[in-house]
Amino acid sequence: MATTAPTGSPPSPPSLTHPPPPRKLTSVKALSESPGLSSIPSIYTFPKQPNHEPVSDTKEPIPTIDFSLLISSNPDERSKTIRELGKACRDWGFFMVTNHGVPERMMKAMIEVCREFFELTEEEKGESEGKHVLDPIRYGTSFNPSVDKILYWRDYLKIFQHPAFHSPSNPPSFREIALDYSKRTRGVMKEIVRGISESLGLEDKYIEKASNLENCLQIMIANLYPPCPQPELAMGLPAHSDHGLLTLLIQNDTVGLQVLHKDKWVNIYPIPNSFLANIGDHIEILSHGKYKSVLHQAVVNDRDVRISIALAHGPAADAAVSPAPMLLEDGQNPLAYRAMKYKEYVELQQSNKLDGKSCLEHIRNRGI
Ligand code: OGA
Ligand code: NI
């Protein structure tokens, strides 16, 4: 399992200096719709990554967890599913979740209303721009244009949805759809986190209590990847791990997400009516590295618009988690990671270049 960015270069130490306000940039959507665009501006040219060979298919399919069995009242079904969940976390860090009970129409409505948001005029979207990385509503392009030397072929909308729910006022139906969807998704997340806790041999509510999940920071990240005339040169979102505990992602039917598995990029094909789940850096911290957050990236194509909506669930903003003492083997130090409040960790990641697992590296205490 790789622990650094696939470029092979050592991660640059992130810092918490406050960058200048982002430059005003054209959205990628507007750029991709400019008449006669046949090549990308050079600032969008992403350097080739020599270290990993992309693969389009793998014989080993990504694991699937049947959520209805995870919450089953039949103890045998439940414990078998928890074992599968543990294996999925260890082997892949990613898994599909089926039979989760969130209505398909709700997932589709969420994707459609995000599409409508991105179709607003630049001026209307600009009202949601946000100034600081911890502002509860932030529309933008690339990842962090004030530090990105290369721009990514992606526009985004990030919204904090729990413990306080926020919504852009436009489109008018956004609020109601997102409120329902974020609640239902939190319910699924909680059960999966309980399962993960048990799969580690911990009490089912261990992670919930340690991270104050009742007040979890839930962030919706809607990503828009418009068609790109030179998809092999551009990048939608570079390799990174997610900062929280568990991300639940839905997408339209366009492929684009790749996961690093056994040192190769694997394309993940959307399965309708399911979530794609992945564990984030805070599960790696809590589990003392027994489960690792996994690098993933989003590539683009020259035909179809791709929309994905990730709901990132982390500890409460003020919680600072540490490895579970019961998971430490003899001689291992509980101070393996410097405790940091989750909101500071999010700020660290969002204020810097998106660079593999550099934030986790930053808080890892070396030599103990
Ligand atoms: C993310 C992410 C991937 C995608 O938003 O953190 O990894 O497929 N998105 O858009
Ligand atoms: Ni991600």
Side-chain angles (χ1 to χ4, degrees):
M1 180 77 53
T3 53
T4 55
T7 53
S9 58
S12 50
S15 68
L16 248 188
T17 51
H18 289 281
R23 289 169 276 158
K24 274 263 178 242
L25 284 171
T26 327
S27 67
V28 183
K29 179 167 188 295
L31 179 61
S32 79
E33 287 170 0
S34 28
L37 185 81
S38 59
S39 62
I40 59 172
S42 58
I43 188 139
Y44 288 94
T45 305
F46 189 78
K48 279 260 168 284
Q49 303 163 17
N51 294 359
H52 299 284
E53 190 191 331
V55 291
S56 53
D57 284 299
T58 170
K59 299 215 170 52
E60 241 184 298
I62 178 168
T64 297
I65 299 299
D66 183 335
F67 185 81
S68 66
L69 301 180
L70 186 65
I71 58 169
S72 165
S73 51
N74 173 334
D76 292 341
E77 267 178 3
R78 179 168 157 78
S79 52
K80 179 168 175 278
T81 311
I82 285 174
R83 280 197 302 279
E84 288 167 5
L85 179 60
K87 185 166 165 40
C89 290
R90 248 186 336 270
D91 294 354
W92 279 80
F94 270 80
F95 48 93
M96 307 297 309
V97 181
T98 57
N99 298 323
H100 44 68
V102 180
E104 189 168 15
R105 61 174 160 73
M106 205 183 266
M107 301 171 113
K108 286 195 166 142
M110 198 59 247
I111 292 176
E112 283 319 305
V113 82
C114 284
R115 189 196 302 276
E116 282 172 40
F117 173 86
F118 288 115
E119 278 167 4
L120 296 174
T121 64
E122 294 303 312
E123 208 179 348
E124 287 167 322
K125 286 184 282 190
E127 285 169 19
S128 299
E129 200 162 34
K131 291 190 174 51
H132 182 267
V133 295
L134 291 183
D135 282 349
I137 303 184
R138 252 178 353 116
Y139 161 70
T141 191
S142 190
F143 177 71
N144 185 351
S146 59
V147 294
D148 295 336
K149 294 210 173 63
I150 296 148
L151 297 179
Y152 306 116
W153 200 264
R154 168 233 196 192
D155 297 334
Y156 66 82
L157 173 64
K158 299 187 186 181
I159 314 171
F160 287 18
Q161 305 211 302
H162 191 76
F165 177 80
H166 297 268
S167 170
S169 49
N170 212 353
S173 56
F174 198 102
R175 171 173 292 272
E176 199 186 326
I177 296 170
L179 186 61
D180 271 359
Y181 179 72
S182 61
K183 260 192 218 156
R184 295 295 295 259
T185 308
R186 259 193 332 271
V188 173
M189 175 277 297
K190 206 173 185 179
E191 291 296 340
I192 296 175
V193 167
R194 284 183 186 166
I196 291 176
S197 207
E198 270 191 68
S199 76
L200 285 162
L202 302 168
E203 187 226 332
D204 66 344
K205 299 215 173 74
Y206 180 86
I207 296 178
E208 208 167 316
K209 289 182 193 155
S211 53
N212 185 6
L213 213 56
E214 197 60 34
N215 295 306
C216 76
L217 185 57
Q218 184 189 37
I219 310 175
M220 173 180 286
I221 304 135
N223 300 295
L224 179 83
Y225 306 98
C228 174
Q230 293 176 297
E232 63 296 342
L233 297 183
M235 181 54 94
L237 201 56
H240 68 281
S241 60
D242 290 351
H243 43 64
L245 295 162
L246 188 78
T247 304
L248 292 173
L249 182 132
I250 55 173
Q251 49 191 320
N252 68 348
D253 54 10
T254 302
V255 63
L257 181 64
Q258 297 182 332
V259 171
L260 193 66
H261 179 63
K262 296 187 178 158
D263 256 8
K264 290 198 170 168
W265 289 113
V266 176
N267 284 320
I268 304 294
Y269 294 94
I271 300 181
N273 199 17
S274 64
F275 285 109
L276 177 65
N278 67 290
I279 53 175
D281 294 347
H282 278 71
I283 290 286
E284 180 163 340
I285 297 171
L286 271 159
S287 73
H288 196 251
K290 293 213 161 22
Y291 297 163
K292 292 194 166 56
S293 61
V294 168
L295 293 176
H296 52 287
Q297 63 185 14
V299 298
V300 294
N301 76 83
D302 58 4
R303 297 171 316 278
D304 302 311
V305 173
R306 177 162 183 265
I307 294 180
S308 68
I309 303 172
L311 284 203
H313 302 89
D318 285 319
V321 307
S322 306
M326 310 69 122
L327 296 181
L328 297 176
E329 283 151 34
D330 282 352
Q332 286 185 325
N333 194 311
L335 304 177
Y337 299 91
R338 177 155 51 88
M340 187 186 256
K341 283 186 181 167
Y342 182 54
K343 68 174 174 214
E344 285 164 16
Y345 193 85
V346 173
E347 187 178 0
L348 184 72
Q349 195 224 33
Q350 298 281 310
S351 324
N352 287 282
K353 255 181 357 123
L354 194 56
D355 181 18
K357 293 179 75 167
S358 63
C359 290
L360 197 58
E361 285 302 315
H362 184 67
I363 64 163
R364 198 193 298 278
N365 284 322
R366 300 233 160 256
I368 60 171

